[in-house]
Amino acid sequence: NAGVMQNPRHLVRRRGQEARLRCSPMKGHSHVYWYRQLPEEGLKFMVYLQKENIIDESGMPKERFSAEFPKEGPSILRIQQVVRGDSAAYFCASSPIEGGSSYNEQFFGPGTRLTVL
Amino acid sequence: KQEVTQIPAALSVPEGENLVLNCSFTDSAIYNLQWFRQDPGKGLTSLLLIQSSQREQTSGRLNASLDKSSGRSTLYIAASQPGDSATYLCAVLRDYKLSFGAGTTVTVRA
């Protein structure tokens, strides 16, 4: 059973470009979470999605950031008009059961390291 | 707002010594607590999950305790090895989201 897959592993963008980060959850997992790890900071929750639904996006910046998890295909985190402050490691996690459960164990991917020049 | 603190921030021990890593959290209304390992430039590996109703979990040389009422968890690693060198993260789950501590960076000297 393959783990959570993320691509690309490294992404370099110039200011003003768009960044698209992809996450394929573990087989059988229908719950996806995105976290961001800024330099010298801990991981912070961004968004929780189920297939075709955004459940909780309380950690997402209000502008330029969006996420989706379509019926078919990977989850996408999209950052429009990137700025230097967006440089960070973006991690995706997945779980087989509902997010608000004591049995919820989140399995993390290797992350995408975004560098904005 | 949940605050998670890990002490110490860094730890260096000789091979064979036992490791004790501490985690505290401010809001005891959690669903569970997970300990992760993160290697430089890599993702997170889940080590142990303790549900809110449990007091401890064990896996091999690892043992984690949870005292929810006092907002504390401790990760014990017995007989440390150089391969245990990594950053260890504590995270508590509430309302779908994990809140992470800043981590303890462990170096085991051969």
Side-chain angles (χ1 to χ4, degrees), chain B:
Chain B
K1 181 189 171 189
Q2 180 74 268
E3 300 284 346
V4 182
T5 303
Q6 292 188 246
I7 295 173
L11 189 57
S12 180
V13 300
E15 182 177 3
E17 202 165 289
N18 296 333
L19 291 164
V20 180
L21 309 180
N22 297 297
C23 171
S24 62
F25 47 95
T26 54
D27 185 350
S28 62
I30 63 171
Y31 293 155
N32 64 41
L33 182 145
Q34 278 187 265
W35 281 95
F36 294 90
R37 169 185 172 139
Q38 185 175 26
D39 293 283
K42 301 289 179 62
L44 280 68
T45 302
S46 180
L47 298 174
L48 290 168
L49 180 146
I50 312 174
Q51 293 171 26
S52 59
S53 59
Q54 297 176 321
R55 298 284 291 185
E56 67 175 343
Q57 277 288 345
T58 299
S59 176
R61 295 184 294 111
L62 277 60
N63 174 275
S65 65
L66 173 64
D67 184 343
K68 201 175 76 159
S69 61
S70 68
R72 295 179 185 176
S73 176
T74 302
L75 177 66
Y76 302 90
I77 304 177
S80 61
Q81 305 168 358
D84 294 330
S85 298
T87 296
Y88 291 83
L89 300 171
C90 161
V92 295
L93 180 73
R94 172 78 190 272
D95 293 337
Y96 320 119
K97 65 192 78 167
L98 286 168
S99 296
F100 284 84
T104 294
T105 299
V106 171
T107 302
V108 181
R109 307 186 304 271

Side-chain angles (χ1 to χ4, degrees), chain A residues 35 58 102-105 113, chain B residues 32 41-42 46 51 97-98:
Chain A
Y35 293 83
S58 59
S102 65
Y103 297 93
N104 180 355
E105 183 172 8
R113 278 148 186 87
Chain B
N32 64 41
K42 301 289 179 62
S46 180
Q51 293 171 26
K97 65 192 78 167
L98 286 168

